[in-house]
């Protein structure tokens, strides 16, 4: 699957100290690095041609924000509220997103690479051309999603919830999991490795001796 990468114009990126973010504000051609922001209440801000590098955001909400041509590097947005966000040509690399709430969001051409996303929430989101590569997604919530061309590559998916999400076309064969939360109907059309088949025996009423 081909993912469009962020179209970053690095020579235009301008690094300035920043101590907060504001609602309904456009942030363009900016480099945010080596900073910690906390207690933010931001809504409907937009970010274009922006790099976040070694940024930590704590106890904050960034609902209904838009991210286009954005890259996050070594950032920590654990437990941040990012509900109903729009992301296009966005990359997350080596980030910590534990418990981050992305529910109700729309993503297109998004990559999350070598990141810790345990207990993150994507419920009711629409994900198109999205890939998770080398990520830990233990306990993440992918329930009731619309998936169009999504890939998991060598991820840890134990206890991930897929209830109400059609997994047709997904390939989980090179990812690791002991159990998933789903129904047999959700699983139809999903590719798995032979050694993973026993995980779903209970859904089919089978008893393996």
């Amino acid at each position: 699957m081909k993912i469009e990468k962020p179209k970053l114009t690095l020579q235009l990126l301008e690094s300035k100290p920043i101590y907060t973010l504001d609602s309904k504000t456009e942030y363009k051609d900016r480099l945010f690095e080596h900073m910690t922001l906390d207690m933010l209440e931001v809504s409907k801000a937009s970010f274009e041609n922006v790099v976040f590098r070694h940024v930590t955001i704590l106890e904050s909400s960034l609902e209904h924000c838009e991210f286009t041509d954005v890259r996050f590097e070594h950032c920590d947005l654990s437990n941040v509220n990012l509900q109903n966000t729009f992301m296009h040509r966005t990359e997350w690399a080596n980030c910590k997103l534990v418990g981050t709430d992305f529910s109700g969001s729309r993503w297109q051409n998004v990559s999350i690479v070598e990141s810790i996303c345990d207990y993150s929430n994507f419920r009711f989101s629409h994900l198109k051309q999205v890939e998770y590569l080398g990520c830990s997604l233990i306990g993440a919530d992918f329930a009731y999603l619309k998936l169009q061309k999504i890939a998991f590559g060598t991820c840890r998916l134990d206890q991930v919830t897929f209830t109400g999400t059609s997994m047709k076309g997904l390939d989980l064969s090179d990812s690791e999991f002991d159990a998933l939360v789903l129904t047999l109907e959700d699983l139809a059309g999903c590719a798995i490795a032979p050694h993973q088949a026993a995980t779903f025996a209970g859904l089919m009423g089978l008893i393996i001796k």
Side-chain angles (χ1 to χ4, degrees), residues 65-88:
C65 290
E66 297 187 5
F67 301 84
T68 302
D69 296 318
V70 174
R71 180 173 171 84
F72 294 85
E73 303 173 3
H74 301 280
C75 293
D76 187 347
L77 278 75
S78 294
N79 296 310
V80 171
N81 176 9
L82 284 157
Q83 293 182 25
N84 301 301
T85 50
F86 172 76
M87 294 192 186
H88 182 44

Tab-separated table of all heavy atoms in Angstrom, residues 65-88:
chain	number	residue	atom	x	y	z
A	65	CYS	N	-9.131	19.747	15.386
A	65	CYS	CA	-7.991	20.395	14.736
A	65	CYS	C	-7.656	19.676	13.430
A	65	CYS	O	-7.991	18.501	13.246
A	65	CYS	CB	-6.782	20.387	15.669
A	65	CYS	SG	-6.966	21.508	17.093
A	66	GLU	N	-7.000	20.385	12.522
A	66	GLU	CA	-6.632	19.827	11.225
A	66	GLU	C	-5.112	19.812	11.078
A	66	GLU	O	-4.441	20.795	11.384
A	66	GLU	CB	-7.252	20.647	10.094
A	66	GLU	CG	-8.777	20.624	10.090
A	66	GLU	CD	-9.367	21.292	8.860
A	66	GLU	OE1	-8.576	21.687	7.960
A	66	GLU	OE2	-10.596	21.409	8.784
A	67	PHE	N	-4.583	18.680	10.600
A	67	PHE	CA	-3.149	18.507	10.411
A	67	PHE	C	-2.901	18.056	8.972
A	67	PHE	O	-3.317	16.966	8.576
A	67	PHE	CB	-2.607	17.452	11.369
A	67	PHE	CG	-2.824	17.771	12.830
A	67	PHE	CD1	-4.033	17.470	13.454
A	67	PHE	CD2	-1.826	18.372	13.585
A	67	PHE	CE1	-4.244	17.756	14.795
A	67	PHE	CE2	-2.014	18.669	14.930
A	67	PHE	CZ	-3.234	18.356	15.532
A	68	THR	N	-2.238	18.883	8.182
A	68	THR	CA	-1.924	18.561	6.790
A	68	THR	C	-0.435	18.779	6.551
A	68	THR	O	0.088	19.855	6.853
A	68	THR	CB	-2.745	19.435	5.819
A	68	THR	OG1	-4.138	19.248	6.069
A	68	THR	CG2	-2.451	19.056	4.382
A	69	ASP	N	0.235	17.767	6.026
A	69	ASP	CA	1.677	17.826	5.821
A	69	ASP	C	2.384	18.133	7.138
A	69	ASP	O	3.058	19.163	7.300
A	69	ASP	CB	2.038	18.851	4.741
A	69	ASP	CG	1.481	18.469	3.374
A	69	ASP	OD1	1.549	17.273	3.034
A	69	ASP	OD2	0.958	19.348	2.672
A	70	VAL	N	2.192	17.213	8.078
A	70	VAL	CA	2.725	17.379	9.437
A	70	VAL	C	3.514	16.127	9.813
A	70	VAL	O	3.136	15.006	9.461
A	70	VAL	CB	1.592	17.616	10.457
A	70	VAL	CG1	2.117	17.633	11.894
A	70	VAL	CG2	0.873	18.939	10.154
A	71	ARG	N	4.599	16.315	10.543
A	71	ARG	CA	5.389	15.195	11.038
A	71	ARG	C	5.638	15.370	12.537
A	71	ARG	O	6.042	16.449	12.985
A	71	ARG	CB	6.720	15.103	10.305
A	71	ARG	CG	7.600	13.940	10.768
A	71	ARG	CD	8.829	13.793	9.880
A	71	ARG	NE	9.798	12.840	10.419
A	71	ARG	CZ	9.739	11.524	10.241
A	71	ARG	NH1	8.754	11.002	9.533
A	71	ARG	NH2	10.657	10.729	10.758
A	72	PHE	N	5.361	14.304	13.295
A	72	PHE	CA	5.654	14.254	14.720
A	72	PHE	C	6.844	13.321	14.927
A	72	PHE	O	6.799	12.163	14.529
A	72	PHE	CB	4.454	13.713	15.505
A	72	PHE	CG	3.228	14.582	15.484
A	72	PHE	CD1	2.310	14.495	14.438
A	72	PHE	CD2	2.982	15.479	16.516
A	72	PHE	CE1	1.168	15.279	14.429
A	72	PHE	CE2	1.841	16.273	16.512
A	72	PHE	CZ	0.930	16.180	15.462
A	73	GLU	N	7.906	13.802	15.558
A	73	GLU	CA	9.093	12.988	15.810
A	73	GLU	C	9.398	12.970	17.305
A	73	GLU	O	9.550	14.027	17.927
A	73	GLU	CB	10.300	13.560	15.063
A	73	GLU	CG	10.129	13.685	13.561
A	73	GLU	CD	11.302	14.409	12.916
A	73	GLU	OE1	12.271	14.757	13.630
A	73	GLU	OE2	11.249	14.644	11.691
A	74	HIS	N	9.452	11.774	17.895
A	74	HIS	CA	9.808	11.627	19.306
A	74	HIS	C	8.941	12.531	20.197
A	74	HIS	O	9.455	13.229	21.080
A	74	HIS	CB	11.296	11.951	19.522
A	74	HIS	CG	12.218	11.082	18.730
A	74	HIS	ND1	12.562	9.799	19.110
A	74	HIS	CD2	12.850	11.294	17.539
A	74	HIS	CE1	13.363	9.272	18.210
A	74	HIS	NE2	13.556	10.147	17.242
A	75	CYS	N	7.654	12.496	19.945
A	75	CYS	CA	6.715	13.311	20.729
A	75	CYS	C	5.918	12.426	21.689
A	75	CYS	O	5.752	11.228	21.463
A	75	CYS	CB	5.753	14.053	19.796
A	75	CYS	SG	6.563	15.312	18.767
A	76	ASP	N	5.419	13.031	22.760
A	76	ASP	CA	4.581	12.331	23.733
A	76	ASP	C	3.261	13.087	23.862
A	76	ASP	O	3.220	14.200	24.392
A	76	ASP	CB	5.290	12.259	25.086
A	76	ASP	CG	4.542	11.393	26.101
A	76	ASP	OD1	3.370	11.047	25.856
A	76	ASP	OD2	5.130	11.083	27.154
A	77	LEU	N	2.192	12.474	23.347
A	77	LEU	CA	0.845	13.042	23.457
A	77	LEU	C	-0.063	12.052	24.183
A	77	LEU	O	-1.248	11.932	23.894
A	77	LEU	CB	0.266	13.380	22.081
A	77	LEU	CG	0.699	14.721	21.458
A	77	LEU	CD1	2.125	14.649	20.934
A	77	LEU	CD2	-0.246	15.143	20.335
A	78	SER	N	0.473	11.356	25.143
A	78	SER	CA	-0.301	10.363	25.885
A	78	SER	C	-1.483	11.022	26.596
A	78	SER	O	-1.348	12.088	27.211
A	78	SER	CB	0.591	9.662	26.913
A	78	SER	OG	1.597	8.900	26.266
A	79	ASN	N	-2.633	10.367	26.472
A	79	ASN	CA	-3.869	10.794	27.133
A	79	ASN	C	-4.390	12.148	26.657
A	79	ASN	O	-5.287	12.724	27.274
A	79	ASN	CB	-3.696	10.829	28.662
A	79	ASN	CG	-3.419	9.451	29.225
A	79	ASN	OD1	-4.131	8.495	28.936
A	79	ASN	ND2	-2.357	9.338	30.023
A	80	VAL	N	-3.864	12.662	25.556
A	80	VAL	CA	-4.374	13.921	24.996
A	80	VAL	C	-5.675	13.642	24.236
A	80	VAL	O	-5.834	12.606	23.589
A	80	VAL	CB	-3.324	14.559	24.069
A	80	VAL	CG1	-3.912	15.744	23.297
A	80	VAL	CG2	-2.117	15.014	24.886
A	81	ASN	N	-6.605	14.569	24.308
A	81	ASN	CA	-7.876	14.464	23.591
A	81	ASN	C	-7.696	15.050	22.184
A	81	ASN	O	-7.568	16.264	22.018
A	81	ASN	CB	-8.962	15.226	24.352
A	81	ASN	CG	-10.296	15.234	23.607
A	81	ASN	OD1	-10.469	14.542	22.606
A	81	ASN	ND2	-11.241	16.016	24.093
A	82	LEU	N	-7.673	14.158	21.191
A	82	LEU	CA	-7.594	14.570	19.782
A	82	LEU	C	-8.823	14.084	19.027
A	82	LEU	O	-8.738	13.676	17.868
A	82	LEU	CB	-6.318	14.010	19.159
A	82	LEU	CG	-5.024	14.741	19.538
A	82	LEU	CD1	-3.809	13.847	19.359
A	82	LEU	CD2	-4.857	16.008	18.705
A	83	GLN	N	-9.968	14.147	19.676
A	83	GLN	CA	-11.205	13.689	19.052
A	83	GLN	C	-11.562	14.557	17.851
A	83	GLN	O	-11.314	15.762	17.826
A	83	GLN	CB	-12.356	13.749	20.048
A	83	GLN	CG	-12.247	12.771	21.203
A	83	GLN	CD	-13.445	12.862	22.126
A	83	GLN	OE1	-14.528	13.271	21.720
A	83	GLN	NE2	-13.252	12.472	23.372
A	84	ASN	N	-12.151	13.893	16.857
A	84	ASN	CA	-12.709	14.591	15.691
A	84	ASN	C	-11.669	15.419	14.946
A	84	ASN	O	-11.972	16.482	14.385
A	84	ASN	CB	-13.883	15.486	16.112
A	84	ASN	CG	-14.987	14.695	16.780
A	84	ASN	OD1	-15.551	13.776	16.202
A	84	ASN	ND2	-15.271	15.031	18.033
A	85	THR	N	-10.426	14.930	14.922
A	85	THR	CA	-9.395	15.636	14.178
A	85	THR	C	-9.354	15.132	12.733
A	85	THR	O	-9.798	14.028	12.423
A	85	THR	CB	-8.011	15.437	14.824
A	85	THR	OG1	-7.794	14.048	15.061
A	85	THR	CG2	-7.904	16.202	16.123
A	86	PHE	N	-8.794	15.951	11.868
A	86	PHE	CA	-8.566	15.582	10.469
A	86	PHE	C	-7.068	15.558	10.238
A	86	PHE	O	-6.364	16.537	10.548
A	86	PHE	CB	-9.230	16.592	9.531
A	86	PHE	CG	-8.880	16.377	8.081
A	86	PHE	CD1	-9.468	15.349	7.354
A	86	PHE	CD2	-7.949	17.191	7.457
A	86	PHE	CE1	-9.138	15.139	6.021
A	86	PHE	CE2	-7.609	16.998	6.122
A	86	PHE	CZ	-8.214	15.960	5.402
A	87	MET	N	-6.554	14.453	9.700
A	87	MET	CA	-5.130	14.353	9.397
A	87	MET	C	-4.940	13.861	7.975
A	87	MET	O	-5.536	12.857	7.579
A	87	MET	CB	-4.435	13.398	10.376
A	87	MET	CG	-4.419	13.891	11.796
A	87	MET	SD	-3.307	12.943	12.853
A	87	MET	CE	-3.722	13.695	14.442
A	88	HIS	N	-4.100	14.567	7.235
A	88	HIS	CA	-3.798	14.192	5.847
A	88	HIS	C	-2.307	14.360	5.626
A	88	HIS	O	-1.718	15.384	5.991
A	88	HIS	CB	-4.586	15.076	4.884
A	88	HIS	CG	-4.376	14.731	3.433
A	88	HIS	ND1	-4.367	13.445	2.952
A	88	HIS	CD2	-4.156	15.528	2.349
A	88	HIS	CE1	-4.166	13.443	1.650
A	88	HIS	NE2	-4.025	14.691	1.261
